[in-house]
């Protein structure tokens, strides 16, 4: 049974580079970095003092609010571009990739400040009985962001919110593709968003030694595939894609901006944060994406890598790609957007899908910046430091998450 | 789609044996958390399903879920089938893991007496938090642990969103199986209600029942610790591997209205109108006993004139685990009453409403 083709008719993006597709793309191909010294909270005593936070929307954000606001702006950009439906009336469901949210130190401190005597959860609860913190119940429900976005966009049915760690944004796209393929809907809105950089979230990653500590020059810290890479740079952002069945897009005369040709996934059970040394899950994940797209590896012109800049991932990803692409790997351009926008966590898969579509549309491959010291164990053409003009017909975009959740997408330039 | 395995843990214990008479005169909750009654988990020997080395990496929420997942895989006869497990799809409905309450309290007390609050927070979070606690908290790590402990590695997705997430997990499997986008799924959720950080969250919203236990006339949620996982398959896949079919899900549907501007009773009536009920249909309601939603659900169900059993009276309200638990209880119930059909209603305390129809194996 031939699979329904799923096309992209609109997209939107926000990162530390800026708001909107135009701004982001211009900076991406110039090799600009959005990573900077953190100003959102005090950095004294922190091992990592840099991030790719989005600071131009709200100086002192609450995570669910910033996460929602970025998703809203990216979603509106995508919907406007696609010209689908009408205002607050999107003709399909919302698949939302988002970070976990919970009460933050500011709110906890606010409640605690009213307590006379010993503060513990029993007294916090007693204070909360005053009813003065009612909005926080809703604000920190997991369903809240999706609910508010549904109200803004007018999407249909209950929004599906998901979290597969670093693969989240790609999972949202995969869910949307599946829904359209089974004829459940002609169109779907897929969003990946993450505005959760806080003292606690930064320190949590820091305690796992996952973050780069190259604080002196923030823009140079994220250096995927380099010999001296030392961890990822935490970042924020959002991206939205309007996906439709080809027939539906054609019948309303929409401009087709690209195709989601295939989605693949595979779970890894080796370790909670590290991937299996034999690479089988990563290889299996990429193979599944190619299989789903009905193509062989030689049809891929460019890989938009997960490329987090951790010693572990970049090596494992290279190993996996060696299996898939074999002898042609040294000649295949592979670059990591994370070198410029950092690791946008729950948004990454979606942001990088949008950048992949822009790559194909503009025939320019964004570089992997900060590539000064190649790693002899990771022999890739990383499109070092400078963007490259090249026709790209198909992209493989991968996202490999903590907890062993892996997703790869095959994106095409045209039907 | 058919159900071939059920894993259920709650205040009643585990499995069919534990839950045989759960819904007949259920006892009141036995645990008090800061004045709030909670249905605490029966004593479970977690190491019957989880190696001690892995148990050490988990807190309650993950232990409950990984254990229930193991029970389901056992019942489905898949525990030792590493080939099938490696291709099995998993969809987990998850919230987040336990906070370190001692660390939180210590920090909050310290913050009161320092002027450099930001710097203090940096220092204390780095020194008080156990580095691997994050992995016991991360929403998608329940699925991650199930992969590690039970070898389920076909695919792994985690849905969030309280009660509706449990619906989404089952519904997505249902739709994918129907459309040949997968043959065999492990779906479910876990909830640890015995957490003061969770009690705090819901007390802020004023949605919990406090104090003396009241049965059906209470006006607030009583939470319960629950782990509920199902092995669901296409009938063909189940038959081909010689699995015992326990029950069948005939229908799953959901909606999410804005309760400030739309009518819940109407949304529920619309959902119910699409379900074929008969004289053998019994309602299993996951009503949270929140006053307004309870009224609306009561009215919508009145029209059907069917007997109703309230699951929250037995096992408490369990957010992400509630809908899978209802299906699990329905499946266990149908083992002894094969002519019955069970209509499940799952109205979230805040948002999301869903229905499902489960019948005995045929």
């Amino acid at each position: 049974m031939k699979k329904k083709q799923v096309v992209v008719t609109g997209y939107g993006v926000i990162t530390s580079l800026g708001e909107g597709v135009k701004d982001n793309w211009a900076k991406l191909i110039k090799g600009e970095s959005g990573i900077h010294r953190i100003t959102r909270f005090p950095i004294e005593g922190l091992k990592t003092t840099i991030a790719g936070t989005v600071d131009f929307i709200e100086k002192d954000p609450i995570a669910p609010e910033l996460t929602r606001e970025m998703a809203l702006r990216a979603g509106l950009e995508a919907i406007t571009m696609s010209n689908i439906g009408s205002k607050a009336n999107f003709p399909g469901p919302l698949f939302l990739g988002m970070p976990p949210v919970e009460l933050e130190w500011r709110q906890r401190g606010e409640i605690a400040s009213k307590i006379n005597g010993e503060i513990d959860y029993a007294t916090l609860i007693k204070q909360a009985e005053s009813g003065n913190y009612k909005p926080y119940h809703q604000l920190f429900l997991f369903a809240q962001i999706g609910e508010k976005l549904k109200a803004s966009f007018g999407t249909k049915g209950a929004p599906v919110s998901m979290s597969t760690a670093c693969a989240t944004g790609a999972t949202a796209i995969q869910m949307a593709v599946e829904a359209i393929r089974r004829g459940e809907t002609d169109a779907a809105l897929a969003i990946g968003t993450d505005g959760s950089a806080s003292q606690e979230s930064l320190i949590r990653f820091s305690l796992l030694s996952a973050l780069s500590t190259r604080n002196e020059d923030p823009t140079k810290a994220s250096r995927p595939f380099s010999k001296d890479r030392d961890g990822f740079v935490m970042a924020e952002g959002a991206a939205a894609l309007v996906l439709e069945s080809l027939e539906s897009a054609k019948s309303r005369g929409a401009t087709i901006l690209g195709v989601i040709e295939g989605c693949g996934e595979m779970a890894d059970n080796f370790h909670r944060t590290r991937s299996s040394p034999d690479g089988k899950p990563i290889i299996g994940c990429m193979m599944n994406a190619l299989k789903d797209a009905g193509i062989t590896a030689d049809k891929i012109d460019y890989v938009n890598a997960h490329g987090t800049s951790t010693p572990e991932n970049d090596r494992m990803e290279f190993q996996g790609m060696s299996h898939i692409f074999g002898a042609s790997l040294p000649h295949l351009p592979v670059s990591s957007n994370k070198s410029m926008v950092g690791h946008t966590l729950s948004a990454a898969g979606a942001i990088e899908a949008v950048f992949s579509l822009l790559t194909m549309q503009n025939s320019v491959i964004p570089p992997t910046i900060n590539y000064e010291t190649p790693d002899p164990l990771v022999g890739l053409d990383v499109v070092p430091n400078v963007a490259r003009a090249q026709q790209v017909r198909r992209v493989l975009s991968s996202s490999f998450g903590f907890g062993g959740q892996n997703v790869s997408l095959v994106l095409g330039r045209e039907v | 789609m058919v159900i071939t395995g059920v894993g259920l843990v709650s205040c009643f214990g585990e499995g069919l044996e534990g839950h045989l008479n759960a819904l007949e005169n259920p006892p009141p909750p036995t645990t008090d958390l800061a004045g709030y009654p909670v249905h605490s988990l029966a004593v479970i020997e977690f190491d019957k399903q989880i190696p001690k080395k892995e148990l050490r990496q988990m807190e309650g929420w993950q232990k409950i879920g990984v254990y229930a997942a193991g029970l389901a895989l056992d019942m489905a006869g898949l525990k030792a089938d590493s080939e099938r497990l490696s291709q099995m799809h998993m969809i987990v409905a998850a919230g987040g893991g336990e906070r370190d309450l001692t660390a939180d309290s210590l920090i909050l007390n310290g913050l009161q007496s320092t002027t450099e609050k930001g710097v203090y927070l940096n220092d204390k979070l780095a020194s008080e938090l156990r580095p691997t606690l994050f992995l016991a908290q991360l929403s998608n790590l329940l699925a991650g642990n199930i992969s590690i402990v039970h070898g389920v590695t076909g695919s792994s997705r985690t849905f969030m969103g309280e009660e509706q997430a449990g619906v989404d997990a089952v519904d997505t499997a249902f739709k994918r199986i129907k459309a040949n986008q997968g043959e065999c799924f492990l779906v479910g959720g876990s909830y640890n209600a015995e957490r003061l950080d969770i009690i705090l969250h819901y007390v802020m919203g004023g949605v919990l029942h406090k104090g003396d236990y009241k049965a059906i006339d209470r006006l607030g949620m009583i939470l319960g610790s629950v782990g509920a996982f199902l092995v669901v398959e296409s009938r063909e896949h189940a038959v081909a591997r010689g699995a015992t079919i326990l029950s069948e899900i005939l229908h799953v549907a959901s909606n999410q209205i804005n309760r400030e501007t739309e009518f819940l009773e109407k949304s529920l009536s619309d959902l119910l109108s699409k379900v074929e009920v008969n004289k053998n249909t019994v309602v299993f309601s996951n009503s949270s006993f929140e006053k307004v939603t309870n009224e609306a659900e009561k009215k919508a169900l009145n029209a059907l004139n069917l007997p109703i059993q309230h699951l929250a009276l037995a096992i408490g309200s369990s957010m992400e685990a509630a809908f899978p638990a209802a299906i699990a209880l329905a499946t266990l119930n149908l083992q002894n009453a094969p002519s019955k059909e069970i209509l499940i209603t799952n109205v979230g305390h805040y948002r999301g409403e869903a229905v499902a129809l489960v019948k005995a194996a045929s």
Side-chain angles (χ1 to χ4, degrees), chain B residues 40-159:
Chain B
S40 49
L41 201 72
V43 175
I44 303 285
E45 288 167 56
F46 291 112
D47 57 8
K48 282 194 343 218
Q49 288 287 345
I50 309 169
K52 288 210 164 84
K53 164 175 156 260
E54 304 300 343
L55 260 185
R56 279 197 285 274
Q57 310 278 344
M58 303 180 203
E59 300 289 324
W61 160 63
Q62 287 177 352
K63 285 180 194 171
I64 293 169
V66 177
Y67 189 86
L71 291 181
L73 292 171
D74 266 336
M75 194 184 283
L78 287 171
K79 232 357 169 30
D81 194 342
S82 54
E83 168 89 37
R84 282 211 171 82
L85 290 175
S86 71
Q87 289 163 18
M88 198 165 180
H89 300 291
M90 169 162 50
I91 309 179
V92 174
E98 291 80 349
R99 289 196 64 82
D100 182 338
L101 306 187
T102 309
D104 282 356
S105 302
L106 186 139
I107 293 172
L108 284 171
N109 283 300
L111 279 171
Q112 295 307 304
S113 49
T114 179
T115 43
E116 293 295 321
K117 296 194 194 291
V119 181
Y120 178 84
L121 200 54
N122 286 346
D123 178 49
K124 285 300 173 194
L125 286 173
S127 60
E128 295 300 319
L129 293 181
R130 186 184 99 223
T132 50
L133 182 64
F134 185 30
L135 302 177
Q137 295 170 324
L138 210 41
S139 301
N140 68 297
L141 260 289
L142 172 54
N145 278 304
I146 293 173
S147 288
I148 289 172
V149 172
H150 300 307
V152 178
T153 53
S155 72
S156 175
R157 300 185 192 172
T158 295
F159 291 168

Side-chain angles (χ1 to χ4, degrees), chain A residues 1 41-46 95-103 105-115 117-122 124-144 146-148 150-151 156-166 171 174-175 177-184 199-201 203-205 207-208 265-273 288 401-407, chain B residues 33-34 36 53-55 57-58 62 86 89-90 94-97 99-109 111-112 116-119 121-123 125-127 129-132 134-135 137-141 143-145 147-162 164-165 168 171-172 175-176 179-181 195-207 210 221 254-258 260 262 320 349-352:
Chain A
M1 184 178 60
F41 43 79
I43 54 174
E44 286 88 337
L46 290 176
F95 294 101
L96 174 67
M98 54 172 270
V101 293
E102 61 178 344
L103 196 66
W105 283 100
R106 184 194 345 222
Q107 295 87 31
R108 224 173 267 130
E110 186 190 330
I111 303 172
S113 69
K114 292 286 188 294
I115 295 172
E118 184 71 13
I119 301 165
D120 57 20
Y121 270 82
L124 285 172
I125 287 166
K126 198 139 191 72
Q127 181 56 33
E129 287 171 354
S130 63
N132 293 338
Y133 314 99
K134 202 154 197 281
Y136 295 158
H137 160 242
Q138 287 176 21
L139 185 56
F140 294 102
L141 287 174
F142 285 105
Q144 195 257 162
E147 182 223 341
K148 289 234 167 80
K150 172 187 156 89
K156 308 296 170 243
V160 181
S161 302
M162 64 211 78
S163 172
T164 48
C166 321
T171 300
Q174 183 175 25
M175 296 270 314
V177 168
E178 284 175 357
I180 293 170
R181 277 183 181 166
R182 54 180 183 251
E184 191 178 300
Q199 283 166 284
E200 181 152 6
S201 57
I203 289 169
R204 277 168 167 166
F205 279 121
L207 288 171
L208 291 176
E265 65 191 326
M266 190 171 282
D268 191 335
N269 66 348
F270 174 71
H271 185 271
R272 283 159 190 89
T273 55
N288 282 343
F402 263 21
Q405 278 127 48
N406 305 310
V407 179
Chain B
L33 247 57
Y36 293 86
K53 164 175 156 260
E54 304 300 343
L55 260 185
Q57 310 278 344
M58 303 180 203
Q62 287 177 352
S86 71
H89 300 291
M90 169 162 50
R99 289 196 64 82
D100 182 338
L101 306 187
T102 309
D104 282 356
S105 302
L106 186 139
I107 293 172
L108 284 171
N109 283 300
L111 279 171
Q112 295 307 304
E116 293 295 321
K117 296 194 194 291
V119 181
L121 200 54
N122 286 346
D123 178 49
L125 286 173
S127 60
L129 293 181
R130 186 184 99 223
T132 50
F134 185 30
L135 302 177
Q137 295 170 324
L138 210 41
S139 301
N140 68 297
L141 260 289
N145 278 304
S147 288
I148 289 172
V149 172
H150 300 307
V152 178
T153 53
S155 72
S156 175
R157 300 185 192 172
T158 295
F159 291 168
M160 305 196 293
E162 291 77 37
Q164 186 61 28
D168 294 337
D171 193 27
T172 300
K175 288 170 173 160
R176 283 177 62 188
N180 277 321
Q181 290 174 339
R195 290 170 51 175
L196 289 173
D197 49 345
I198 281 186
I199 301 288
L200 175 61
H201 187 178
Y202 290 103
V203 167
M204 288 193 301
V207 296
K210 184 177 188 188
M221 283 196 294
S254 68
N255 193 15
Q256 180 170 301
I257 57 152
N258 178 341
E260 265 95 65
E262 300 167 80
E320 291 85 8
H349 77 288
Y350 174 65
R351 287 285 187 266

Side-chain angles (χ1 to χ4, degrees), chain B residues 203-331:
Chain B
V203 167
M204 288 193 301
V207 296
L208 293 184
H209 174 90
K210 184 177 188 188
D212 287 342
Y213 173 70
K214 282 181 158 79
I216 202 153
D217 59 345
R218 67 186 179 199
L219 298 175
M221 283 196 294
I222 292 180
L223 302 175
S225 297
V226 173
F229 273 85
L230 312 161
V231 174
V232 298
E233 323 181 36
S234 68
R235 184 174 283 276
E236 299 71 46
H237 188 268
V239 167
R241 71 177 185 90
T244 305
I245 294 172
L246 304 169
S247 65
E248 187 175 357
I249 299 181
L250 299 174
H251 181 87
V252 185
S254 68
N255 193 15
Q256 180 170 301
I257 57 152
N258 178 341
R259 295 180 195 173
E260 265 95 65
T261 55
E262 300 167 80
F263 294 103
L264 180 58
E265 187 193 330
K266 174 160 194 314
S267 180
L268 276 171
S269 298
D270 286 346
L271 286 170
L272 291 167
S273 70
K274 300 195 174 70
V275 188
E276 261 188 59
V277 302
N278 56 48
K279 60 176 168 56
N280 289 320
T281 310
V282 165
V283 176
F284 275 14
S285 164
N286 257 334
S287 171
S288 64
F289 289 96
E290 190 282 320
K291 184 165 186 235
V292 173
T293 55
N294 207 34
E295 274 309 300
E297 185 177 341
K298 226 199 267 190
K299 288 200 180 128
L301 285 172
N302 264 350
L304 296 180
N305 204 22
L306 298 168
I308 303 173
Q309 300 216 270
H310 289 275
L311 306 188
L313 292 182
I315 61 174
S317 290
S318 60
M319 300 299 154
E320 291 85 8
F323 191 68
I327 296 176
L329 278 168
T331 299

